[in-house]
Amino acid sequence: MSDTNVPVVTETAYLTLHYRLARADGTDLVTTFGSTPATLMLGQGQLAPFLEERLLGMAEGTHATFELSAADGFGERNPELIQLVSKKTLEENSVPDADYQVGDLVDFAAPGGGRFAGVLRELRDDAALFDFNHPLAGQTLKFEVQLISVL
């Protein structure tokens, strides 16, 4: 006798799962495989929305792998998000007197009290060049998931 009432993932489901997000070449970015599974509730920002979308409708016990194009993941790289920031603006909106190095992820204060971050690409005498694209923008990704339980 088979159980036809296997729970499936809904927009507000509680899940226990193993998951892996990897680059197209298989390099893991994050994984729970080989350690404790994650427990989370969908719709709470614990997973990126495009990852949650892949889980909707999946049945408990499913093990699946998805390939995500850049457009389906963190988006394409946007050249308009590579911008010069004056040293004055940098000093006023980030950690005072910080010794930033090329490659550092720098957190900025945004108007209205928010925060945003950019990767420092180049230091100049009077400005710094930042890339405000998500670090995974423009990349194909693999998302593997093993649903252990769905509530």
Side-chain angles (χ1 to χ4, degrees):
M1 179 175 204
S2 66
D3 183 4
T4 59
N5 294 319
V6 175
V8 297
V9 178
T10 63
E11 292 179 355
T12 57
Y14 284 97
L15 308 176
T16 300
L17 71 164
H18 277 295
Y19 69 95
R20 171 183 336 214
L21 187 63
R23 297 184 193 280
D25 67 5
T27 304
D28 286 343
L29 298 166
V30 63
T31 184
T32 64
F33 287 93
S35 65
T36 304
T39 299
L40 52 91
M41 182 179 175
L42 290 193
Q44 301 299 306
Q46 295 170 298
L47 284 178
F50 64 87
L51 297 177
E52 288 190 1
E53 285 176 21
R54 297 302 185 282
L55 300 174
L56 293 175
M58 289 179 64
E60 183 177 278
T62 300
H63 189 166
T65 301
F66 304 92
E67 183 169 295
L68 304 170
S69 69
D72 292 335
F74 289 97
E76 299 292 346
R77 292 192 55 72
N78 180 349
E80 293 180 11
L81 293 178
I82 300 173
Q83 298 189 3
L84 277 175
V85 175
S86 72
K87 289 271 179 109
K88 180 181 181 199
T89 298
L90 178 60
E91 290 169 6
E92 290 173 353
N93 294 289
S94 64
V95 177
D97 300 318
D99 182 25
Y100 295 120
Q101 303 296 315
V102 170
D104 286 351
L105 182 65
V106 179
D107 188 51
F108 289 86
R115 307 294 298 173
F116 63 97
V119 175
L120 178 60
R121 294 292 181 214
E122 182 183 328
L123 278 171
R124 301 179 183 175
D125 289 339
D126 60 344
L129 184 66
F130 281 92
D131 184 346
F132 293 104
N133 283 287
H134 188 283
L136 297 174
Q139 295 185 37
T140 298
L141 302 170
K142 290 182 182 179
F143 178 50
E144 179 183 5
V145 61
Q146 180 181 4
L147 284 175
I148 297 167
S149 68
V150 178
L151 299 174

